[in-house]
Amino acid sequence: MAEHNELGKWGEDLAALYLQDKGYVILERDWHSGHRDIDIVARDGQTVVFVEVKTRRNRTFAEPETAVDFQKLRNLKQAANHYIKFRHIGYDVRFDVVTVVGTPGSEPEIMHIEDFQW
């Protein structure tokens, strides 16, 4: 696996653990709809949460959440729509972003942005 893919996997694993520690129930990881994917699908009470995880080694070039632009959010919403229909979801839904800054072996900085709006 390429180094950047390993970093991304590490970040997604941390994000899933972080959400579980906050009481979220992880329903799916890396769910695909064609070429679109959802990093984490979780339940927060009676709300289904679609989570985009952005992992970066540092903040040298930009804050990780800035990578969730209009196009990325549109793709995420299309994948979420497919997921809702495929799984027959009748709950409220929202979109969150979890950012992870650091590298394996370091103490990462994790930020959770609930109800992300671009």
Side-chain angles (χ1 to χ4, degrees):
M1 184 181 298
E3 191 174 332
H4 71 278
N5 290 340
E6 290 177 13
L7 184 69
K9 171 85 168 79
W10 173 76
E12 287 182 21
D13 290 345
L14 287 177
L17 289 172
Y18 173 87
L19 292 170
Q20 287 175 318
D21 286 347
K22 287 183 71 172
Y24 288 56
V25 176
I26 304 301
L27 303 174
E28 309 260 2
R29 300 237 350 236
D30 296 318
W31 192 84
H32 289 270
S33 171
H35 67 278
R36 297 175 181 95
D37 73 310
I38 302 170
D39 294 332
I40 299 172
V41 181
R43 197 176 72 244
D44 178 22
Q46 295 299 311
T47 302
V48 172
V49 184
F50 299 97
V51 182
E52 177 68 18
V53 180
K54 289 297 176 192
T55 306
R56 298 291 184 265
R57 292 183 185 288
N58 54 52
R59 292 185 169 85
T60 301
F61 298 108
E63 293 297 318
E65 64 272 17
T66 62
V68 185
D69 59 9
F70 176 79
Q71 181 68 32
K72 179 64 181 173
L73 197 55
R74 187 176 81 176
N75 285 337
L76 181 61
K77 287 179 178 181
Q78 289 174 347
N81 187 47
H82 182 213
Y83 183 88
I84 290 165
K85 291 176 182 176
F86 182 74
R87 295 283 189 231
H88 308 287
I89 302 296
Y91 296 103
D92 290 336
V93 300
R94 77 168 190 257
F95 298 91
D96 290 4
V97 172
V98 174
T99 65
V100 179
V101 178
T103 57
S106 70
E107 185 65 32
E109 296 175 39
I110 299 174
M111 183 172 66
H112 181 193
I113 306 167
E114 294 184 23
D115 197 22
F116 183 82
Q117 303 290 319
W118 186 86

